[in-house]
Amino acid sequence: MTVMREDVETTRWTPVCAYTDLLPERGVCALVGRHQIALFRTFDGELFAIGNHDPFSGAQVLSRGIVGTRAGEPIVASPMHKQAFSLVTGVCLDDPAVAVPTYPIRVDHGTVEVSVA
């Protein structure tokens, strides 16, 4: 099974965990290089990777947020102040001027890999 969120062949991938380690609708944090990455698996098996830093509170907490959807878009709500961030674009749906980074993510032979470069 391969789930890809990036098509660039030259991307450097870092293995972070087994696909089965990610529970649906729950987030986990992985340290990839110097980046804290919040990883999410949705009920339909799709994977998303965004920065773990909540720009409103300044805390590294987005991986602990509430996963859901808003108008059909997968989101995570910050556990601090409940702002909703798109898992697709990283844009805050409550304040579109604010966004968190998104990262390419894929599954290769059962291993979740993320790229930060």
Side-chain angles (χ1 to χ4, degrees), residues 29-83:
C29 184
L31 186 60
V32 179
R34 297 182 310 157
H35 302 273
Q36 285 194 33
I37 311 292
L39 308 172
F40 301 93
R41 175 179 159 194
T42 59
F43 276 123
D44 63 4
E46 195 168 7
L47 297 176
F48 297 93
I50 65 172
N52 196 41
H53 181 258
D54 177 353
F56 292 97
S57 71
Q60 299 279 356
V61 295
L62 291 181
S63 63
R64 296 176 180 249
I66 300 167
V67 179
T69 59
R70 187 183 285 181
E73 184 166 5
I75 59 103
V76 62
S78 169
M80 300 296 284
H81 302 296
K82 308 302 183 250
Q83 287 89 357

Side-chain angles (χ1 to χ4, degrees), residues 69-114:
T69 59
R70 187 183 285 181
E73 184 166 5
I75 59 103
V76 62
S78 169
M80 300 296 284
H81 302 296
K82 308 302 183 250
Q83 287 89 357
F85 294 89
S86 166
L87 293 177
V88 177
T89 66
V91 172
C92 177
L93 302 182
D94 300 307
D95 184 350
V98 178
V100 296
T102 59
Y103 298 94
I105 187 168
R106 72 178 184 182
V107 176
D108 186 37
H109 296 92
T111 300
V112 175
E113 298 177 335
V114 176

